[in-house]
Amino acid sequence: MEVIICPSYEEMSIMAAREVASLLNTKPNAVLGLATGSTPRGLYAELVRMHKEEGLDFSQVTTFNLDEYVGLPDDHPQSYHYFMREHLFKHVNIPEQNIHIPSGTTRNHVAFCEWYERRIKECGGIDLQILGIGADGHIAFNEPGSSLGSRTRIKTLAAQTIKDNARFFEKEEDVPIYAITMGVGTILEARRLLLLANGENKAEAVRNAIEGPVCSMVTASALQLHPRSMIFLDEAAAGKLQMADYYKWVQQNKPGAPKPEV
Ligand code: F6R
């Protein structure tokens, strides 16, 4: 696990966007796994900027989103379909047919989830999966207690997540209680994982995920099992890490990193 502590949310977003851009520059037809929520907004904004100002090309990219609320149609302002359109898709050139987001309105969840898993495989697997982390340590909607081998399925949200996400809705009762989500096992099959976290309210979840035991109570801890994961944090989210100084030292002394001028 590579832990990168950034001075601010803005720098974290830019550094993470550079990872995505460098993948697209070496593999223009990459398959990206995408997350929603407030955390990756800055990353998407930077990708949009790179597309508009630097010609970053998405014309061969395929995407798979992690999750969607059950019961929300695509055009609902709180749906993840809507979020992705507003923050990324309508600003870049990803072909419509290459975009995959779990359906919030399917009537056959089991068949849909099986198709989603199959589709990821048909497209060659996910090259780079972007992730956020919930205050309870979840990735996607894999709430505490989710199997670390879980696959795409319908999942009941935890009370904490409903509370956290109520800020996007008029009232807490409007937050759907079910979501379709990729499983932890699905996520771990991506070739690379890139998790972002900012803010003090994520500090405990971040510490548990990075420095705690691997366990289903903190599904983000499964990243410890992945050979190529990067975790981008701002200072506040890194605030409870025991080894923060070491992670910074590693970044400053990366083999091949330019030495500061004396
Ligand atoms: C969303 C997702 C969730 C969020 C997490 C953090 O697609 O997968 O796991 O990443 O709930 O949400 P924010 O970024 O809003 O704090």
Side-chain angles (χ1 to χ4, degrees), residues 28 49 51 55 84 97 111 123 139 143 157 161 164 182 190 209-210 235 237:
R49 191 201 62 75
H51 171 69
M84 289 310 303
Q97 68 274 16
C123 293
I139 43 172
E143 299 288 26
L157 306 190
T161 302
D164 289 347
M182 278 188 206
I210 298 176
E235 287 281 355

Side-chain angles (χ1 to χ4, degrees), residues 14-214:
I14 291 171
M15 286 181 73
R18 283 189 189 142
E19 286 299 322
V20 178
S22 96
L23 170 67
L24 298 191
N25 287 330
T26 50
K27 186 176 182 186
N29 62 346
V31 178
L32 296 179
L34 302 175
T36 58
S38 41
T39 313
R41 280 187 191 181
L43 157 64
Y44 295 146
E46 178 61 8
L47 290 177
V48 170
R49 191 201 62 75
M50 287 171 161
H51 171 69
K52 294 200 165 136
E53 293 176 15
E54 295 166 11
L56 181 65
D57 182 31
F58 290 82
S59 64
Q60 297 176 62
V61 167
T62 297
T63 65
F64 286 90
N65 263 80
L66 287 168
D67 40 21
E68 177 60 286
Y69 289 116
V70 168
L72 298 193
D74 297 4
D75 58 356
H76 189 289
Q78 305 312 332
S79 74
Y80 288 168
H81 282 77
Y82 191 93
F83 175 100
M84 289 310 303
R85 236 182 353 260
E86 289 305 304
H87 292 280
L88 185 66
F89 298 150
K90 79 177 187 192
H91 307 287
V92 298
N93 61 336
I94 305 174
E96 187 72 31
Q97 68 274 16
N98 291 7
I99 293 171
H100 305 82
I101 306 179
S103 165
T105 51
T106 178
R107 285 203 254 155
N108 190 338
H109 300 113
V110 174
F112 181 84
C113 294
E114 281 173 8
W115 172 81
Y116 206 69
E117 290 272 340
R118 239 185 358 260
R119 190 76 195 118
I120 293 173
K121 288 205 169 73
E122 279 167 11
C123 293
I126 293 170
D127 290 300
L128 177 67
Q129 175 67 58
I130 295 162
L131 298 163
I133 181 171
D136 62 5
H138 68 226
I139 43 172
F141 275 130
N142 295 288
E143 299 288 26
S146 296
S147 159
L148 300 186
S150 52
R151 311 300 309 186
T152 303
R153 68 209 183 290
I154 188 165
K155 185 77 194 156
T156 309
L157 306 190
Q160 169 83 52
T161 302
I162 292 175
K163 224 171 142 142
D164 289 347
N165 290 0
R167 69 189 193 278
F168 298 116
F169 291 80
E170 243 172 62
K171 46 188 189 316
E172 196 171 314
E173 300 80 71
D174 292 344
V175 184
I177 63 167
Y178 304 112
I180 288 185
T181 179
M182 278 188 206
V184 182
T186 321
I187 292 167
L188 288 178
E189 280 173 7
R191 290 181 192 93
R192 291 175 61 196
L193 303 179
L194 197 159
L195 184 143
L196 297 123
N198 65 291
E200 208 183 323
N201 66 323
K202 298 292 175 68
E204 192 162 338
V206 164
R207 184 195 49 202
N208 291 338
I210 298 176
E211 296 178 341
V214 175

